[in-house]
Amino acid sequence: MNAREIGAALLRQRLLFVAVLLLGVAVVAGGLWLAPKSYRATVTISVTKAPEASASLAALDAARRDLAEQARSPQVLSAVQEDLAGERTLEDLTEAVSAAWLEGTALIEVSVNDPDPEFAAEIADEVAAILVERGAASSSVSATVAAPAEVPTTFSSPPLGPVLASGLAAALLLAILVALGRDWRTEILTDGAQVESAAIAPLLAHLDAPHDLTLMPALRTGSAESDLFRHARLAIEAETSVGPSKRVVVAGIGTDELDVWLGANVAIALAHVGRSVVLVDARMGTRFGPPSSAAPDTPGLSDVLQGVDLEAALSPGPIELLSVLPAGTASEAQSEPALDDYFNDVMEELAARFDVVVVLAPALDVADDALTMSASASMLIAVPEGTVAASVLRTHATRVRESRGSVLGVALIGRRPALAA
């Protein structure tokens, strides 16, 4: 998914994206509000050479380093605890107080972290006062408070900047992932790029079907509608030329029979260019509704699977070189004819007699028959425009491949008012 696709997905899911982002910001703000806070107060002590002292610079620096280390000594902290009337334990003070000589300068910096900002400043000043007294007791250095501690106005822990930055980044990432996840599951397919991305297969045709699906545009040679199926036929021939299968299984998503309309027109388009084609209606069983009124009143596939001679079940189609094998009359009495090995035997016999076998399979979301029929064959998936989620097509395409079939491609089909006869 490139940046443009991500942007388009976020635009489609903008309300969800904003809601999750605001929720994330609220969680970060609430976490900061409720988190235990610590305030830091700092006091600066200046340590210089005492009057008339003859200490070298190295000795003076050593004295400064030593005085800084005394800030956390038990003696100093015990004195601070006593001055605070026991408001803090010795362990609390040991964790709270830190001090360091700023190398290259005459300054010692004493810092104190405490949940109470006023106490932090008070402890820092107490430690500084004791260190100044200790410095005064030395004959080599003189210590004074250069900058007393100020009561901090903002907390130092948790660190506001990094927490806000990481929290907002996490909220933004979560909002993006949630929006993309929902878009991935619910994105409605309306263009070829979406279809190809979801099916991981080429878009072989983007067609508009008439309101009356008994109309066959491919029969009207020379018309614009017939030309669309010529392009679809060329795409199908290009795809099937790289594979071993002569069997094209046409299955749809949904029950509006766009796949039947597509398969019939594809078969007609193939027959128009001199291919011998057989159109097999494999939607056997009463669960797929009554047989088409246009179907021949002859035995069909379900009858052949129960022993009827194949030749007796084949009927001529509406144009030369096109034959039809209907679902059959036995399918009315048997709700779910078994797709056993004999089905493949029938398909192989048809493949030996015809250049192309076009199989009209039940919809992918209605039954698993199409998966069985597509094993060792190629499937053309008919997708109604604007009604199918990308995740649904992705799932069905994956199931076809897991059933040892291949996805030849996808046809995206819209609807328009009835065409003139």
Side-chain angles (χ1 to χ4, degrees), residues 256-301:
D256 56 4
E257 296 196 345
L258 286 174
D259 51 338
V260 177
W261 175 83
L262 172 67
N265 279 279
V266 165
I268 293 170
L270 288 168
H272 268 312
V273 293
R275 300 290 189 91
S276 61
V277 183
V278 59
L279 179 63
V280 180
D281 187 353
R283 300 167 302 139
M284 300 174 292
T286 55
R287 57 188 167 151
F288 306 121
S292 170
S293 59
D297 186 19
T298 62
L301 177 60

Side-chain angles (χ1 to χ4, degrees), residues 72-235:
R72 301 184 72 250
S73 66
Q75 295 84 356
V76 172
L77 296 182
S78 295
V80 172
Q81 183 190 23
E82 185 176 343
D83 291 341
L84 296 175
E87 289 287 341
R88 296 290 184 270
T89 66
L90 192 59
E91 290 77 9
D92 292 337
L93 293 174
T94 302
E95 293 181 2
V97 177
S98 62
W101 164 54
L102 305 179
E103 293 190 28
T105 72
L107 303 178
I108 294 175
E109 194 173 80
V110 178
S111 298
V112 175
N113 292 304
D114 194 85
D116 186 328
E118 294 184 357
F119 247 86
E122 183 177 351
I123 294 171
D125 285 336
E126 289 288 344
V127 172
I130 295 175
L131 291 181
V132 167
E133 290 179 3
R134 289 183 166 239
S138 170
S139 58
S140 59
V141 297
S142 174
T144 57
V145 175
E150 295 182 358
V151 177
T153 56
T154 58
F155 53 86
S156 59
S157 178
L160 184 59
V163 169
L164 281 178
S166 60
L168 292 177
L172 179 61
L173 179 61
L174 178 62
I176 292 174
L177 292 177
V178 170
L180 291 180
R182 186 174 189 274
D183 194 73
W184 186 85
R185 294 191 304 273
T186 63
E187 177 190 3
I188 301 302
L189 299 171
T190 57
D191 63 56
Q194 293 173 303
V195 167
E196 291 185 332
S197 174
I200 316 178
L203 179 73
L204 299 184
H206 191 170
L207 307 167
D208 285 332
H211 181 72
D212 182 0
L213 294 180
T214 63
L215 298 175
M216 296 290 140
L219 288 172
R220 303 172 60 186
T221 56
S223 66
E225 293 82 4
S226 176
D227 195 51
L228 290 175
F229 280 98
R230 182 178 69 83
H231 289 297
R233 184 258 305 168
L234 290 172

Side-chain angles (χ1 to χ4, degrees), residues 292-320:
S292 170
S293 59
D297 186 19
T298 62
L301 177 60
S302 58
D303 304 279
V304 172
L305 293 179
Q306 297 183 40
V308 173
D309 182 64
L310 177 59
E311 188 64 37
L314 289 171
S315 300
I319 64 172
E320 189 178 358

